[in-house]
Amino acid sequence: MTDTDADGIAIRGTDGRDSSERGQCDAISLVTDSAAPIRYVATESVVEIATSDLQDDIERVTGQRPARERGLEDCGERAIIVGTYGVDAVFDRAVEQVLETHRSEDDGLEGPESYLIAAESTADDTGTSLFGTDETLLIAGSDPRGTAYGVYEFARKIGVSPWYWWADVPTADYDELYVSHGLEWAGPPSVRYRGVFINDEDFGIREWAQHTHEPEVPDGIGPKTYERLFELLLRLKANTIWPAMHEGTKAFYQCEGTAEAADRYHIVVGTSHCEPMHRNNVGEWDADVHGEWNYETNAETIRQYWTDRVEDVAGSENMFTIGMRGIHDSGMPGGDTLEERADLLQQVIDEQREILDEHHTSPVESIPQIFCPYKETLEIYREGVDVPDDVCLVWPDDNFGFMRRLPREDERERAGGHGVYYHLSYWGRPHDHQWLCSIPPALIRQELVRAYRHGADTFWMANVGDLKPAEKETEYFLELAWDLESTAARSETEWLTQWAAREFRPERADEIADILTEYYRLALARKPEHLGWNSVYPNTEKNEPEFSAIAHGDEAERRLEAYEQIDERAAEIASSLPDNVRTAFFHLVEYPIRAS
């Protein structure tokens, strides 16, 4: 992956704060007494959405709203030009001119989902003029998602956090906005498909959506909520969603407008390990109508059930889950022995492939598919199930952040590649961890870098629960998936320091990183959710030890004191922050520490 060029751009606002660590040089003026207009060339909705959001972002930061128009005619003296390479000949020539001007030995738009950002002026040493303008900010993508990533990355540079809406992080406040001359690019991503699974949504995001944000959808999570989520995914350079699927949540494809929203935002839709062929069995399989969920006894009905959905979604960008489990997170019915279950699962996979092949114009080998050997399915897979070579094998962690299995050397060359299903939140045995997120970034890095080095670079999915308790960890997971090498090169503390400086200003970023590091250390010894039970396995001899009040120098009291210390430090930092920052600080730092 190619990251920022040495001559990359930097942002400067008139209040004196520089949002980049780079030194300043001659710059183009984007916002002075007015804002430079946005002109774009695009045939895809995601670029329309991203440029519209850029209008909002510039207005949030400067109070000036730029005009926005499709096309490159009469761009004026200065402009923000956005487009996808290959759509417009004039735009393409400008991109090539920028790369030649900066003597780039590397094509900044090579590979999927790549982008470049360039600031050019006729006043710089090269005298470059693009589109007849004196000053141009050029954002170009190798494909529509790459273009959107470039737009949202620029928004981040001018001071708009990806979490501005979800965590109330305030934006920067500039009167004027300047961008230094230069070029930078990023992409392609380290991992091809990168996304989140909204799961165990019963207690948080669904209740909030249907009672507060989107009451017009009284029985689930609707398109307004998903649009906000899809925007966040693009701001975090993700591209894939496993939608919410619990009982009581209206199935994604039964909720009007949700699938269309995913298409507009160019989000790849998949389904979880227990929802093969894009079917939410919890909400869509009616035993009174369809009979029992058992492929051994009811294969014809189940095949038609899958076929109906594949026919409906074949024209969208999908990642199909193949295989079979129970209606929800349980074992596959049918087969009395392990060998019989393996034979039945093989039949399921073979016939699912026939359905996919029949209802797509491209061959089945080119249709994105995954197989996730989660829980009991791993044992069945080991019995000898033949998963076709073009299917991505997605390896799960142990539900607590430690990988259970990685691809063997003889498995790594499969055409479909390998992936990871990783839990930042979990509901199930032996204990849940949904209330707070306490998976340390250092553990995420340790386990996922190891998985990547073993060939798991096709698909990464994070179970983020309700999303809200896991903002930091979700961002770290997706940043690692986007650019593994540069992200992994930083320590947990370094990453948290940079993150805190962006979200809360840099003055106390080091201290914020320190208290979060201690929060993760304490939770790694015992998660707050797990302190309510002395035994992981009730009524057995497999007990989790209590923290002793008498042994080891009163370890229970020492633990309480450690939490009290970071709670007091967090409260003191909060009191020192500007009023408009405190709500976000409570969301992202103070609440998890106080609750612990």
Side-chain angles (χ1 to χ4, degrees), residues 273 275-277 293-300 302-303 306 321-325 332-334 340-356 369-371 377 380 385-388:
H273 50 82
E275 302 174 275
M277 306 293 274
W293 178 255
N294 187 325
Y295 209 75
E296 189 173 41
T297 61
N298 197 17
E300 184 176 352
I302 296 173
R303 276 197 304 270
W306 288 335
T321 296
I322 65 171
M324 190 172 183
R325 296 189 69 218
M332 178 185 70
E340 290 174 349
R341 290 193 292 276
D343 290 343
L344 184 60
L345 184 57
Q346 188 69 63
Q347 179 188 348
V348 165
I349 291 173
D350 293 344
E351 294 181 5
Q352 287 172 335
R353 300 266 292 176
E354 292 173 3
I355 294 170
L356 292 171
Q369 301 156 66
I370 66 166
F371 174 78
T377 312
I380 301 174
V385 175
D386 180 19
V387 178

Side-chain angles (χ1 to χ4, degrees), residues 445 449 453 476 479-480 483-491:
R445 181 183 61 179
V449 168
R453 303 284 186 233
Y476 184 79
E479 189 172 320
L480 199 64
D483 185 356
L484 182 129
E485 299 299 343
S486 68
T487 305
R490 288 172 285 167
S491 70

